[in-house]
Amino acid sequence: MREDVASLDIRDVTANWVNAEVLARQIDDRIKALADLSDTPLFFGRLDYLHSPGADQAEGADGERFYIGRRHVHDADGDPMVIDWRAPVSQPFYRASRKNPMDVGLRRRFGYTGGELTAYEDEHLSDPAEAAATSKLLQQEIERPRVGPMRDIVATIQPEQDEIVRSGLSGTVCVQGGPGTGKTAVGLHRVAYLLYAHRDRLARTGTLVIGPNKSFLHYIEQVLPALGELTVQQATVDDLVAHVEVRGADDAAAAVVKGDARMAEVLRRAVYAHVTLPAEPVVVVRGSRRWRVPAYELEEIVRELLDRGIRYGAAREALPQRIAHAVLVQMERAGEAPDDRVQDAVARNTAVKAAVKAIWPPVDPAKLVLRLLSDADFLAAHSEGVLTEDERKTILWAKPVRSVKSARWSAADAVLIDEAADLVERTHSLGHVVLDEAQDLSPMQYRAVGRRCTTGSATVLGDLAQGTTPWATRTWEEALAHLGKSGGIIEELTAGFRVPTDVIAYASRLLPHIAPNLTPVASVRENPGFFEVRTGEGDADVVAACGELLRNEGSTGLIAADARVPALAEALTAAGLPYLAPGEETTAETRLTLVPASLAKGLEYDYVVLDEPQAVVDGEPDERTGLRRLYVSLTRAVSGLIITHTAPLPPQLA
């Protein structure tokens, strides 16, 4: 299929060089999408239908056989050999059961090792004599060692996950999922499904995946390309609002106030406070005639624009045309017959432009936020009844700043500027946005994301128990409201596929203290995993535990409180153990990653050494946030976990 595309000759089929360039780019993208993955099979399953799909079953039509894979594959004659996992005919591979066989006589799963077929497993779903059994191949695929970036899960999607993946484009879905429930994979596969089912629409409107940090985005960046989807953009929230260079940081109290949804009202007031009701008429001179628009009529025009609630910039662009229209009405009453060209000329008249500048001056979003944060009187005037006096003092800068460029903007400041920019000019909306690790976003950050999908839909993924910011999400209903998607559906995944039974049971001891209303994750893995808590005497014991786990196949992560990372890095180097930073890809030679606890969220390793749990808790501003950070760190292991400590363990783990 790839060679067929590469051999296409477009020299005689394009009308001009522009068409030729566009077609050549499309061909290049198609070739990239058809890239072969040496260790990834083209098919992983087979369905034998009792009757042909779509045929009248009463007529007893013979069934059909379909091979299911990550990509559609056809032969030299164009006949399908492998059916895309997203096609409707593939759905029973994930949903069919003995209770509801969906007209499937046989479901076959194939097992692969390094891209070579090594096993297969059959289920005769319509045979009442065959006993139900857990799929060994499914368990092996779920528990297969992880080296390198995140991979797709098309061979192991479970029924409850498939329902979310195949939900429609028009609705927003929020997925609450504990560690190892596959919520990130579900979100990415939902994007792949939507691109398959609504390709033309999403090709026009675009799709975006938003992650918590660059390390996380690097970890997941190969999933969609492996499924042939190359057009999905990836970004962090900070990337979306990068109107200014972020060089500073807020303390927790200031960040909480700046991230509060009430700041949107403060900004709205500050923006529209620039509008001044006219006190003087506008006099337009054209030739020997003078046309006068009185102040009261100008005021009516301005009030109408304000009442319509359109963007500040759009209203400012409409104002000269409205004034010009008032002049044209007078011209017509005087017997003239002006056309659109005359109206445009009047709108560009010097007197009209001067009036617009005085009534509706331009607003620079960054300068507006600069003034709010540095001018106490300006902030007080526009936050009256919204913020308290203490909250104003909390967010005011201690020293005045001269210019936008010299200001040490924080990440929360950039979000405020983005809000102000949207008040001035509408933010471009995409067709679908996936927001992962959403529990750590502030209300204002939710609003920033929501602006990117006002006319589209969203998939929101997260775990309330893993919220580690002072402004962490309290309920998903609140989050969806801030996102502008109050009608979104909330789904909960509680079956754990990644974290071993003993590990998730130990970590769940923290849930009553950090998220008492959540259902604990129930591991469905048959392998309980390796789990051990060790009392050590220093860094040498931590290094020894890493060396011990590296004797196993797969990746190893050493997770520690951020303050402990330099000492552990020195100890690893002294012991001759090479290590990587989060986001760097593991290799056969280097399979150990040193991970600060603050960056562990969303990552996973076959084996984990967790250093000093109490230090992880103490590294946060309050105990609840610290315990949540510890919960995240405890649940990064896929096959085994060793906890090493010299200080006493947190009492919540007792």
Side-chain angles (χ1 to χ4, degrees):
M1 290 168 67
R2 191 167 61 250
E3 289 168 357
D4 286 346
V5 177
S7 65
L8 291 174
D9 187 350
I10 63 172
R11 287 176 296 181
D12 299 326
V13 298
T14 53
N16 52 53
W17 69 270
V18 176
N19 288 353
E21 285 290 329
V22 171
L23 190 55
R25 175 67 65 85
Q26 291 175 341
I27 289 174
D28 286 343
D29 288 344
R30 177 67 173 158
I31 292 171
K32 291 177 184 175
L34 288 170
D36 198 19
L37 304 176
S38 59
D39 61 343
T40 303
L42 284 174
F43 64 91
F44 51 80
R46 190 183 105 187
L47 289 177
D48 290 5
Y49 278 86
L50 297 176
H51 307 86
S52 295
D56 186 349
Q57 296 186 12
E59 296 178 358
D62 291 336
E64 287 190 69
R65 172 178 298 171
F66 298 97
Y67 286 87
I68 312 301
R70 60 181 33 79
R71 303 296 311 278
H72 167 83
V73 182
H74 62 246
D75 61 18
D77 297 322
D79 294 326
M81 299 176 67
V82 179
I83 305 298
D84 194 299
W85 66 276
R86 298 167 286 189
V89 76
S90 303
Q91 186 172 340
F93 184 79
Y94 303 107
R95 301 272 189 98
S97 65
R98 295 192 177 279
K99 289 184 178 180
N100 180 21
M102 302 176 72
D103 200 42
V104 172
L106 179 143
R107 173 167 57 196
R108 173 169 290 179
R109 299 181 189 274
F110 294 99
Y112 289 86
T113 302
E116 292 190 359
L117 177 63
T118 53
Y120 68 88
E121 188 178 74
D122 288 348
E123 294 174 89
H124 297 87
L125 296 176
S126 300
D127 183 359
E130 184 175 283
T134 303
S135 169
K136 300 289 187 188
L137 289 180
L138 192 61
Q139 285 291 332
Q140 290 172 11
E141 176 63 21
I142 289 172
E143 298 175 12
R144 183 157 57 95
R146 283 146 167 77
V147 176
M150 183 179 179
R151 59 177 185 265
D152 65 80
I153 61 163
V154 289
T156 62
I157 294 174
Q158 298 300 292
E160 64 272 20
Q161 296 174 326
D162 191 64
E163 288 183 18
I164 298 171
V165 167
R166 295 178 192 265
S167 54
L169 176 60
S170 59
T172 288
V173 178
C174 176
V175 182
Q176 158 65 38
T181 54
K183 56 185 178 295
T184 296
V186 166
L188 294 174
H189 287 68
R190 186 177 183 219
V191 172
Y193 172 77
L194 292 176
L195 286 168
Y196 175 88
H198 308 277
R199 190 166 300 281
D200 290 343
R201 178 176 171 184
L202 290 177
R204 294 191 305 270
T205 56
T207 50
L208 173 68
V209 173
I210 302 173
N213 52 56
K214 296 292 186 183
S215 298
F216 178 84
L217 291 178
H218 181 71
Y219 176 63
I220 68 170
E221 67 183 358
Q222 296 303 319
V223 175
L224 290 170
L227 300 173
E229 302 300 345
L230 306 173
T231 61
V232 180
Q233 298 175 298
Q234 292 187 348
T236 64
V237 173
D238 291 343
D239 294 333
L240 299 182
V241 300
H243 303 282
V244 292
E245 182 183 358
V246 174
R247 296 184 296 141
D250 291 312
D251 59 32
V256 168
V257 177
K258 290 179 180 180
D260 194 295
R262 293 174 296 160
M263 287 301 298
E265 173 61 18
V266 175
L267 290 165
R268 190 196 65 78
R269 291 182 183 181
V271 167
Y272 284 94
H274 289 77
V275 178
T276 304
L277 293 177
E280 300 290 334
V282 172
V283 179
V284 176
V285 178
R286 283 185 61 80
S288 61
R289 302 293 300 270
R290 294 163 62 88
W291 307 97
R292 183 175 181 275
V293 182
Y296 76 85
E297 190 172 347
L298 290 174
E299 183 176 336
E300 288 178 0
I301 293 172
V302 172
R303 288 191 183 280
E304 182 195 353
L305 288 172
L306 287 171
D307 291 343
R308 286 181 59 190
I310 59 177
R311 293 299 192 276
Y312 183 94
R316 186 175 188 275
E317 291 177 3
L319 181 58
Q321 289 292 334
R322 294 296 180 86
I323 297 173
H325 177 72
V327 172
L328 259 65
V329 170
Q330 295 184 29
M331 289 180 176
E332 290 170 348
R333 288 173 181 165
E336 296 189 18
D339 57 16
D340 290 346
R341 290 176 296 177
V342 174
Q343 179 167 332
D344 289 340
V346 173
R348 295 193 300 270
N349 182 274
T350 304
V352 173
K353 287 164 62 174
V356 170
K357 186 175 181 180
I359 297 169
W360 213 294
V363 170
D364 181 286
K367 289 181 180 178
L368 176 82
V369 175
L370 179 78
R371 187 178 176 191
L372 272 175
L373 297 178
S374 56
D375 185 336
D377 293 337
F378 188 69
L379 176 61
H382 301 301
S383 62
E384 182 66 33
V386 179
L387 300 181
T388 66
E389 183 63 32
D390 288 342
E391 287 173 328
R392 292 184 201 122
K393 291 178 180 178
T394 299
I395 63 174
L396 271 172
W397 287 338
K399 296 180 180 179
V401 179
R402 291 184 178 181
S403 68
V404 169
K405 287 189 176 180
S406 62
R408 293 185 62 82
W409 297 105
S410 69
D413 296 335
V415 178
L416 296 179
I417 295 172
D418 189 71
E419 179 84 26
D422 183 70
L423 289 166
V424 174
E425 184 176 347
R426 185 182 296 277
T427 304
H428 174 68
S429 175
L430 300 166
H432 192 77
V433 170
V434 174
L435 175 61
D436 204 353
E437 299 295 348
Q439 71 278 347
D440 276 338
L441 267 61
S442 70
M444 291 298 286
Q445 287 177 314
Y446 276 118
R447 290 175 62 89
V449 173
R451 287 192 283 278
R452 272 74 187 178
C453 56
T454 50
T455 59
S457 55
T459 301
V460 181
L461 312 164
D463 179 11
L464 296 178
Q466 296 186 55
T468 51
T469 55
W471 50 85
T473 304
R474 290 176 294 183
T475 69
W476 290 122
E477 288 82 4
E478 282 185 27
L480 290 172
H482 293 312
L483 200 66
K485 305 292 181 184
S486 297
I489 298 171
I490 301 174
E491 303 279 2
E492 186 171 9
L493 296 175
T494 58
F497 303 100
R498 175 174 57 77
V499 185
T501 305
D502 291 352
V503 174
I504 195 65
Y506 186 75
S508 293
R509 296 180 183 182
L510 298 176
L511 282 180
H513 307 281
I514 60 176
N517 296 325
L518 290 185
T519 303
V521 172
S523 179
V524 298
R525 295 177 55 162
E526 293 185 344
N527 178 6
F530 172 73
F531 174 59
E532 190 175 337
V533 180
R534 297 179 180 177
T535 303
E537 296 182 0
D539 295 347
D541 292 322
V542 180
V543 173
C546 292
E548 180 182 328
L549 293 180
L550 284 170
R551 290 196 285 270
N552 300 307
E553 183 184 3
S555 58
T556 297
L558 169 55
I559 302 177
D562 292 30
R564 288 272 297 146
V565 168
L568 292 174
E570 189 175 328
L572 290 172
T573 302
L577 275 182
Y579 62 90
L580 304 166
E584 294 181 336
E585 193 166 325
T586 55
T587 64
E589 295 76 26
T590 307
R591 295 180 289 114
L592 175 64
T593 304
L594 177 56
V595 187
S598 61
L599 296 181
K601 193 171 298 178
L603 305 179
E604 59 183 31
Y605 303 92
D606 286 293
Y607 295 91
V608 167
V609 176
L610 176 57
D611 170 74
E612 293 294 353
Q614 188 61 53
V616 174
V617 176
D618 294 341
E620 300 299 327
D622 60 86
E623 185 181 62
R624 187 183 187 192
T625 304
L627 290 174
R628 287 183 167 187
R629 185 76 73 189
L630 178 59
Y631 181 72
V632 171
S633 302
L634 283 168
T635 54
R636 300 304 96 198
V638 177
S639 297
L641 170 68
I642 295 177
I643 297 174
T644 62
H645 68 101
T646 54
L649 291 172
Q652 293 83 356
L653 287 177

